[in-house]
Amino acid sequence: MDSSEKAAEPASESMSSTSALSVVDPGIPSTGPTHQSNPPPTSYSQQIEAALEGNDGHAAMKAIYLLERCDGIDGLTERTFQQRDREPNPKRRAAFAFLVEDFLRQQRSCQSISAMHQSRRNDLLKIANAGGIQGAALRYLGQSAEIVDADPEAKGIAVRNIQAEARAGNGNAIIMLGIEGESYKLPPESRWAFTAAATWIQRNEGVGIAEIDEMMLTALQLAAMPPDTPEEVVQRVNATVKQLVDAYLANRKKP
């Protein structure tokens, strides 16, 4: 990254219409003397590079969010432009105009991200995943099998992390484990439980169910298991499925 980008980036962000709010941009250096030797990264590219150089899972996850934000910012800006131009209500039109300005500011910030930064997404995910940051395991395992299987240690960490998220009620984690449990080499009882819970969640997605239909849950569980499964195993799997679905429903009620 050349020095002109470092100097221009914070200034370009401060030139949007939101500057009328008189928010001080921390990226703009003070006019007075300073003794700060290591200023915090300000541009998107600087934040990504700092996360790659460090070993902070939270910083790495923030960098991933920046990359994801920039992935869709062009389409989001264009759609908001169109909504603004079609809106007949003056107040709503003004609201869309405010959003357009904010998205344009983000677009300018995203211009500092290069193909090199995009290519390091997997490295950022490894750092965030190693730190146990929520959401990192899902993203890491959601990459191509070629990328995931290239690092068995990182994959093993991700599989452990996503199981923890599933047991905490993350529906997406439960569904992924229900689909990929065999490829992740989970024990049979765990596979059967995740498969049954995942099927229940997918079947009831968006229905707003707050209570468990025990008969349906049992039927899904039995369908996921071999017919000759011993009764004591059936009972253990049944308890796990119930815990997973209970956790999922409790998680949905959180604000």
Side-chain angles (χ1 to χ4, degrees):
M1 184 187 310
D2 59 33
S3 59
S4 63
E5 179 189 334
K6 295 179 181 178
E9 176 62 26
S12 67
E13 291 191 19
S14 66
M15 292 174 64
S16 72
S17 62
T18 57
S19 62
L21 299 176
S22 300
V23 177
V24 177
D25 189 334
I28 300 178
S30 168
T31 55
T34 179
H35 300 287
Q36 185 176 2
S37 57
N38 294 307
T42 53
S43 71
Y44 284 5
S45 59
Q46 287 175 315
Q47 292 180 57
I48 292 168
E49 289 165 11
L52 287 165
E53 292 170 3
N55 194 32
D56 184 338
H58 290 284
M61 199 67 201
K62 181 179 179 183
I64 293 164
Y65 288 144
L66 290 180
L67 289 172
E68 291 177 348
R69 180 187 304 171
C70 292
D71 287 342
I73 192 63
D74 290 343
L76 182 60
T77 303
E78 179 60 29
R79 290 193 298 274
T80 309
F81 261 121
Q82 295 173 1
Q83 288 175 302
R84 181 202 63 182
D85 293 343
R86 292 195 303 264
E87 180 55 58
N89 184 293
K91 288 185 178 181
R92 286 177 55 81
R93 185 180 176 87
F96 281 123
F98 177 84
L99 290 174
V100 164
E101 288 299 319
D102 181 65
F103 295 153
L104 287 172
R105 178 187 61 78
Q106 291 186 41
Q107 271 189 318
R108 289 193 291 273
S109 297
C110 291
Q111 288 173 3
S112 70
I113 295 178
S114 67
M116 181 278 292
H117 298 114
Q118 291 283 3
S119 71
R120 301 294 301 279
R121 191 181 304 235
N122 181 54
D123 296 320
L124 291 167
L125 283 170
K126 284 185 180 181
I127 296 171
N129 182 48
I133 307 303
Q134 186 171 356
L138 270 167
R139 287 172 170 82
Y140 184 80
L141 293 171
Q143 301 179 106
S144 70
E146 181 180 4
I147 293 174
V148 174
D149 293 339
D151 191 333
E153 182 181 1
K155 180 180 179 180
I157 294 172
V159 170
R160 289 194 296 273
N161 288 345
I162 198 174
Q163 288 183 79
E165 292 190 27
R167 295 183 190 282
N170 185 314
N172 289 328
I174 294 172
I175 290 170
M176 179 172 279
L177 289 168
I179 296 171
E180 300 291 345
E182 187 169 359
S183 68
Y184 296 159
K185 297 180 170 57
L186 298 185
E189 290 185 28
S190 295
R191 291 203 316 267
W192 300 332
F194 284 123
T195 298
T199 306
W200 188 92
I201 290 171
Q202 290 174 308
R203 180 181 181 277
N204 296 297
E205 190 97 39
V207 179
I209 292 177
E211 295 182 359
I212 298 174
D213 182 336
E214 296 283 355
M215 290 184 63
M216 176 57 67
L217 202 58
T218 300
L220 292 172
Q221 171 202 330
L222 292 174
M225 304 168 67
D228 57 349
T229 303
E231 182 60 28
E232 62 270 21
V233 175
V234 172
Q235 294 303 320
R236 287 200 299 268
V237 174
N238 179 64
T240 302
V241 175
K242 182 75 161 48
Q243 290 169 358
L244 289 169
V245 175
D246 279 341
Y248 166 74
L249 292 173
N251 197 46
R252 285 206 316 181
K253 293 178 182 177
K254 292 179 182 178

